[in-house]
PDB file of all heavy atoms in Angstrom:
ATOM      1  N   ILE A 913     -15.701 -13.380   4.202  1.00 40.00           N
ATOM      2  CA  ILE A 913     -15.160 -14.498   3.414  1.00 40.00           C
ATOM      3  C   ILE A 913     -14.448 -13.973   2.182  1.00 40.00           C
ATOM      4  O   ILE A 913     -13.352 -14.423   1.843  1.00 40.00           O
ATOM      5  CB  ILE A 913     -16.282 -15.487   3.031  1.00 40.00           C
ATOM      6  CG1 ILE A 913     -16.827 -16.157   4.289  1.00 40.00           C
ATOM      7  CG2 ILE A 913     -15.767 -16.521   2.038  1.00 40.00           C
ATOM      8  CD1 ILE A 913     -18.065 -16.979   4.058  1.00 40.00           C
ATOM      9  N   PHE A 914     -15.038 -12.998   1.501  1.00 40.00           N
ATOM     10  CA  PHE A 914     -14.418 -12.415   0.308  1.00 40.00           C
ATOM     11  C   PHE A 914     -13.070 -11.792   0.649  1.00 40.00           C
ATOM     12  O   PHE A 914     -12.082 -12.027  -0.039  1.00 40.00           O
ATOM     13  CB  PHE A 914     -15.347 -11.366  -0.308  1.00 40.00           C
ATOM     14  CG  PHE A 914     -14.724 -10.639  -1.463  1.00 40.00           C
ATOM     15  CD1 PHE A 914     -14.582 -11.253  -2.683  1.00 40.00           C
ATOM     16  CD2 PHE A 914     -14.263  -9.349  -1.299  1.00 40.00           C
ATOM     17  CE1 PHE A 914     -13.991 -10.593  -3.749  1.00 40.00           C
ATOM     18  CE2 PHE A 914     -13.671  -8.672  -2.350  1.00 40.00           C
ATOM     19  CZ  PHE A 914     -13.547  -9.301  -3.580  1.00 40.00           C
ATOM     20  N   LEU A 915     -13.010 -11.007   1.715  1.00 41.00           N
ATOM     21  CA  LEU A 915     -11.756 -10.379   2.110  1.00 41.00           C
ATOM     22  C   LEU A 915     -10.713 -11.415   2.492  1.00 41.00           C
ATOM     23  O   LEU A 915      -9.538 -11.260   2.205  1.00 41.00           O
ATOM     24  CB  LEU A 915     -11.989  -9.405   3.263  1.00 41.00           C
ATOM     25  CG  LEU A 915     -12.780  -8.150   2.907  1.00 41.00           C
ATOM     26  CD1 LEU A 915     -13.048  -7.327   4.159  1.00 41.00           C
ATOM     27  CD2 LEU A 915     -12.045  -7.327   1.878  1.00 41.00           C
ATOM     28  N   PHE A 916     -11.141 -12.499   3.111  1.00 40.00           N
ATOM     29  CA  PHE A 916     -10.227 -13.585   3.454  1.00 40.00           C
ATOM     30  C   PHE A 916      -9.600 -14.171   2.193  1.00 40.00           C
ATOM     31  O   PHE A 916      -8.398 -14.382   2.124  1.00 40.00           O
ATOM     32  CB  PHE A 916     -10.989 -14.663   4.236  1.00 40.00           C
ATOM     33  CG  PHE A 916     -10.170 -15.886   4.531  1.00 40.00           C
ATOM     34  CD1 PHE A 916      -9.187 -15.843   5.504  1.00 40.00           C
ATOM     35  CD2 PHE A 916     -10.382 -17.060   3.843  1.00 40.00           C
ATOM     36  CE1 PHE A 916      -8.425 -16.961   5.785  1.00 40.00           C
ATOM     37  CE2 PHE A 916      -9.629 -18.178   4.119  1.00 40.00           C
ATOM     38  CZ  PHE A 916      -8.643 -18.130   5.088  1.00 40.00           C
ATOM     39  N   PHE A 917     -10.407 -14.409   1.163  1.00 41.00           N
ATOM     40  CA  PHE A 917      -9.887 -14.962  -0.082  1.00 41.00           C
ATOM     41  C   PHE A 917      -8.999 -13.963  -0.814  1.00 41.00           C
ATOM     42  O   PHE A 917      -8.003 -14.344  -1.412  1.00 41.00           O
ATOM     43  CB  PHE A 917     -11.021 -15.439  -0.993  1.00 41.00           C
ATOM     44  CG  PHE A 917     -11.617 -16.730  -0.537  1.00 41.00           C
ATOM     45  CD1 PHE A 917     -12.936 -16.806  -0.165  1.00 41.00           C
ATOM     46  CD2 PHE A 917     -10.843 -17.881  -0.468  1.00 41.00           C
ATOM     47  CE1 PHE A 917     -13.482 -17.997   0.268  1.00 41.00           C
ATOM     48  CE2 PHE A 917     -11.374 -19.075  -0.043  1.00 41.00           C
ATOM     49  CZ  PHE A 917     -12.709 -19.137   0.330  1.00 41.00           C
ATOM     50  N   VAL A 918      -9.324 -12.688  -0.761  1.00 41.00           N
ATOM     51  CA  VAL A 918      -8.474 -11.660  -1.370  1.00 41.00           C
ATOM     52  C   VAL A 918      -7.114 -11.658  -0.686  1.00 41.00           C
ATOM     53  O   VAL A 918      -6.074 -11.600  -1.349  1.00 41.00           O
ATOM     54  CB  VAL A 918      -9.134 -10.270  -1.295  1.00 41.00           C
ATOM     55  CG1 VAL A 918      -8.146  -9.179  -1.660  1.00 41.00           C
ATOM     56  CG2 VAL A 918     -10.353 -10.212  -2.199  1.00 41.00           C
ATOM     57  N   ASP A 919      -7.088 -11.754   0.644  1.00 44.00           N
ATOM     58  CA  ASP A 919      -5.824 -11.806   1.379  1.00 44.00           C
ATOM     59  C   ASP A 919      -5.011 -13.026   0.971  1.00 44.00           C
ATOM     60  O   ASP A 919      -3.802 -12.940   0.796  1.00 44.00           O
ATOM     61  CB  ASP A 919      -6.067 -11.827   2.886  1.00 44.00           C
ATOM     62  CG  ASP A 919      -6.511 -10.470   3.425  1.00 44.00           C
ATOM     63  OD1 ASP A 919      -6.375  -9.478   2.685  1.00 44.00           O
ATOM     64  OD2 ASP A 919      -6.986 -10.421   4.563  1.00 44.00           O
ATOM     65  N   ILE A 920      -5.654 -14.174   0.816  1.00 41.00           N
ATOM     66  CA  ILE A 920      -4.939 -15.382   0.409  1.00 41.00           C
ATOM     67  C   ILE A 920      -4.341 -15.214  -0.975  1.00 41.00           C
ATOM     68  O   ILE A 920      -3.194 -15.573  -1.218  1.00 41.00           O
ATOM     69  CB  ILE A 920      -5.869 -16.613   0.462  1.00 41.00           C
ATOM     70  CG1 ILE A 920      -6.172 -16.967   1.914  1.00 41.00           C
ATOM     71  CG2 ILE A 920      -5.239 -17.798  -0.259  1.00 41.00           C
ATOM     72  CD1 ILE A 920      -7.174 -18.068   2.080  1.00 41.00           C
ATOM     73  N   ILE A 921      -5.092 -14.650  -1.899  1.00 41.00           N
ATOM     74  CA  ILE A 921      -4.592 -14.430  -3.260  1.00 41.00           C
ATOM     75  C   ILE A 921      -3.390 -13.502  -3.234  1.00 41.00           C
ATOM     76  O   ILE A 921      -2.385 -13.757  -3.880  1.00 41.00           O
ATOM     77  CB  ILE A 921      -5.711 -13.866  -4.162  1.00 41.00           C
ATOM     78  CG1 ILE A 921      -6.767 -14.943  -4.411  1.00 41.00           C
ATOM     79  CG2 ILE A 921      -5.142 -13.353  -5.480  1.00 41.00           C
ATOM     80  CD1 ILE A 921      -8.027 -14.427  -5.048  1.00 41.00           C
ATOM     81  N   LEU A 922      -3.458 -12.423  -2.478  1.00 43.00           N
ATOM     82  CA  LEU A 922      -2.353 -11.479  -2.416  1.00 43.00           C
ATOM     83  C   LEU A 922      -1.122 -12.110  -1.774  1.00 43.00           C
ATOM     84  O   LEU A 922      -0.003 -11.880  -2.222  1.00 43.00           O
ATOM     85  CB  LEU A 922      -2.771 -10.225  -1.648  1.00 43.00           C
ATOM     86  CG  LEU A 922      -3.790  -9.347  -2.364  1.00 43.00           C
ATOM     87  CD1 LEU A 922      -4.224  -8.201  -1.462  1.00 43.00           C
ATOM     88  CD2 LEU A 922      -3.251  -8.823  -3.672  1.00 43.00           C
ATOM     89  N   ILE A 923      -1.309 -12.924  -0.755  1.00 42.00           N
ATOM     90  CA  ILE A 923      -0.180 -13.593  -0.122  1.00 42.00           C
ATOM     91  C   ILE A 923       0.487 -14.544  -1.111  1.00 42.00           C
ATOM     92  O   ILE A 923       1.704 -14.614  -1.211  1.00 42.00           O
ATOM     93  CB  ILE A 923      -0.631 -14.331   1.160  1.00 42.00           C
ATOM     94  CG1 ILE A 923      -0.975 -13.309   2.239  1.00 42.00           C
ATOM     95  CG2 ILE A 923       0.440 -15.296   1.648  1.00 42.00           C
ATOM     96  CD1 ILE A 923      -1.693 -13.890   3.436  1.00 42.00           C
ATOM     97  N   CYS A 924      -0.300 -15.262  -1.878  1.00 42.00           N
ATOM     98  CA  CYS A 924       0.254 -16.189  -2.865  1.00 42.00           C
ATOM     99  C   CYS A 924       1.015 -15.452  -3.967  1.00 42.00           C
ATOM    100  O   CYS A 924       1.932 -15.999  -4.553  1.00 42.00           O
ATOM    101  CB  CYS A 924      -0.853 -17.033  -3.476  1.00 42.00           C
ATOM    102  SG  CYS A 924      -1.574 -18.213  -2.312  1.00 42.00           S
ATOM    103  N   LYS A 925       0.635 -14.237  -4.256  1.00 48.00           N
ATOM    104  CA  LYS A 925       1.322 -13.445  -5.274  1.00 48.00           C
ATOM    105  C   LYS A 925       2.577 -12.779  -4.723  1.00 48.00           C
ATOM    106  O   LYS A 925       3.277 -12.100  -5.447  1.00 48.00           O
ATOM    107  CB  LYS A 925       0.394 -12.346  -5.821  1.00 48.00           C
ATOM    108  CG  LYS A 925      -0.680 -12.842  -6.740  1.00 48.00           C
ATOM    109  CD  LYS A 925      -1.458 -11.646  -7.248  1.00 48.00           C
ATOM    110  CE  LYS A 925      -2.182 -11.967  -8.518  1.00 48.00           C
ATOM    111  NZ  LYS A 925      -2.838 -10.791  -9.069  1.00 48.00           N
ATOM    112  N   GLY A 926       2.877 -12.924  -3.446  1.00 54.00           N
ATOM    113  CA  GLY A 926       4.048 -12.291  -2.849  1.00 54.00           C
ATOM    114  C   GLY A 926       3.832 -10.816  -2.576  1.00 54.00           C
ATOM    115  O   GLY A 926       4.720 -10.009  -2.756  1.00 54.00           O
TER     116      GLY A 926
END
Side-chain angles (χ1 to χ4, degrees):
I913 294 171
F914 175 75
L915 291 175
F916 175 74
F917 284 118
V918 168
D919 286 346
I920 289 174
I921 291 169
L922 291 175
I923 289 168
C924 291
K925 286 183 159 185

